[in-house]
Amino acid sequence: MMDKTHIEQVDQMYPNLKDTDIIEECAILEGKKGEKQLTISHEIDKNKLCYYSEKIRDIKENFTKVKQMFELLSADIDDYLNLLNNNLKLNVKDESKEVIRSMVHLLSSAKLFIEYSIVQCKKYSNKDFNLQEKFKQINSAQFDNDFSHRFCLYLRNFTQHVGLPISCVKESIENGVWKKQYLIEIDYLLNSSFNWKKLEKELIEKRGINKYIDARKIVEDYYRSLITLYFYFNKILFERFQDELAEIKLELKNLGIKGKRYCIYRISKGDLKNKKADGEIIHLYSINSIEEIYLEMEKFGFGKIVNNK
């Protein structure tokens, strides 16, 4: 049954619109999933909220994209280590193929993570904030100070152009348990056609101590170095945006925005009059989104910086 009072209210509210015209209003979303309640808010400046939403979205996505890249890298490393943890006596030849495939994949994932982080830093570099240069300096320090970092970056290029990374599997029985150790033979690397450049001297020195590099330990050490890079990526990016986020948060509070979920609700005038639930909900970034960034940064120990804003 038609609600004449409601129809009159809609016509009074939007007198210049036809029933086929689209209405866009700012709204507040409340309730849990499946029990959402939408409340139109005419008091909020829709254009300003949308403007700040775009700025927050742009900032937040930079943290999110690199986090997703790092999570993919972490998953690749977990898969690799899980393969090494399999001590069942299986067909070593077939199993080695999986281990080698996994190692080649994680080496590429690590290089992609580093390069993608540099690209994201470059995106927001300017004369006041040279994020790209800062991150490159940190990456160079990791390269200079950590053998695993240097070696794995070279090893990735080796697998791309010359050969496979793992050349030996050592099998043994310890306390009745079958053990396998995947090794990288240094002579195999040095005798190849690959140019190891300055790393060649290091490899020769290491060969004098042990002719093999443990394929597990080198990846575990490399991952620790990459965790350090990920930490500093978040640090320098947050330093770049923390003042801007604090200013946006203050502006939103001045607009009357609270810690709620906001959206743009789009619906035709005719559907609104007929109380049809066919409207489109476009979620907006607001104070909640800024708080999510702060919470993520607190995981890296940046809570003191956050709490002062």
Side-chain angles (χ1 to χ4, degrees), residues 61-264:
E61 280 192 354
N62 285 283
F63 291 101
T64 302
K65 287 177 180 177
V66 174
K67 180 183 179 182
Q68 290 171 342
M69 194 69 69
F70 187 76
E71 286 174 344
L72 290 173
L73 165 63
S74 298
D76 287 340
I77 290 175
D78 284 344
D79 289 344
Y80 171 75
L81 294 177
N82 286 336
L83 283 171
L84 298 188
N85 287 335
N86 178 15
N87 286 318
L88 296 175
K89 188 174 181 180
L90 302 174
N91 186 319
V92 173
K93 183 178 180 181
D94 292 339
E95 187 180 292
S96 296
K97 291 178 182 178
E98 283 301 303
V99 172
I100 291 169
R101 177 199 59 76
S102 183
M103 188 177 198
V104 169
H105 189 69
L106 76 85
L107 291 172
S108 294
S109 293
K111 183 72 183 299
L112 180 61
F113 162 72
I114 294 170
E115 291 178 345
Y116 190 78
S117 298
I118 292 172
V119 168
Q120 291 303 105
C121 287
K122 182 180 180 181
K123 184 177 177 182
Y124 288 103
S125 291
N126 54 40
K127 63 179 181 179
D128 298 318
F129 299 96
N130 195 337
L131 274 64
Q132 182 184 18
E133 186 58 32
K134 278 187 178 181
F135 189 79
K136 280 186 174 181
Q137 288 175 1
I138 294 166
N139 186 44
S140 294
Q142 289 300 110
F143 183 90
D144 293 339
N145 299 327
D146 194 310
F147 170 76
S148 69
H149 197 100
R150 291 192 298 279
F151 177 73
C152 285
L153 283 173
Y154 273 103
L155 188 64
R156 181 262 178 188
N157 293 336
F158 174 86
T159 62
Q160 294 288 312
H161 304 290
V162 179
L164 300 174
I166 296 172
S167 52
C168 180
V169 183
K170 181 181 177 182
E171 298 180 86
S172 62
I173 298 177
E174 297 179 15
N175 298 322
V177 179
W178 194 266
K179 297 284 186 180
K180 294 185 291 292
Q181 185 181 18
Y182 290 86
L183 303 167
I184 303 168
E185 187 178 9
I186 296 177
D187 276 339
Y188 163 69
L189 302 178
L190 292 174
N191 294 333
S192 70
S193 60
F194 186 72
N195 183 5
W196 292 95
K197 300 179 182 179
K198 293 182 180 180
L199 198 66
E200 182 177 354
K201 183 179 179 181
E202 281 189 274
L203 290 172
I204 291 172
E205 290 174 354
K206 287 188 175 293
R207 184 183 60 183
I209 301 170
N210 189 337
K211 65 178 182 177
Y212 296 110
I213 292 172
D214 190 299
R216 173 195 292 275
K217 186 177 186 307
I218 198 68
V219 167
E220 290 174 337
D221 291 346
Y222 187 33
Y223 186 44
R224 280 190 285 271
S225 180
L226 294 171
I227 289 173
T228 299
L229 279 186
Y230 182 50
F231 170 87
Y232 280 107
F233 169 83
N234 283 280
K235 186 175 188 295
I236 62 178
L237 198 66
F238 186 65
E239 287 173 350
R240 165 67 175 82
F241 289 114
Q242 60 175 315
D243 288 339
E244 185 175 351
L245 286 169
E247 290 169 6
I248 292 172
K249 186 176 180 181
L250 181 60
E251 289 294 330
L252 289 173
K253 285 184 175 180
N254 290 337
L255 288 174
I257 302 299
K258 300 178 181 179
K260 296 181 178 180
R261 292 178 295 165
Y262 292 85
C263 66
I264 295 297

Side-chain angles (χ1 to χ4, degrees), residues 29-38 261:
L29 269 173
E30 295 178 303
K32 297 180 180 179
K33 189 175 181 181
E35 301 176 356
K36 290 182 180 178
Q37 180 180 340
L38 194 71
R261 292 178 295 165

Side-chain angles (χ1 to χ4, degrees), residues 63 227 230-236 238-239 242 292-308:
F63 291 101
I227 289 173
Y230 182 50
F231 170 87
Y232 280 107
F233 169 83
N234 283 280
K235 186 175 188 295
I236 62 178
F238 186 65
E239 287 173 350
Q242 60 175 315
E292 287 171 1
I293 296 174
Y294 286 172
L295 286 172
E296 194 66 29
M297 293 303 100
E298 286 180 355
K299 294 177 183 178
F300 296 96
F302 305 151
K304 187 176 180 180
I305 299 173
V306 169
N307 292 330
N308 288 335

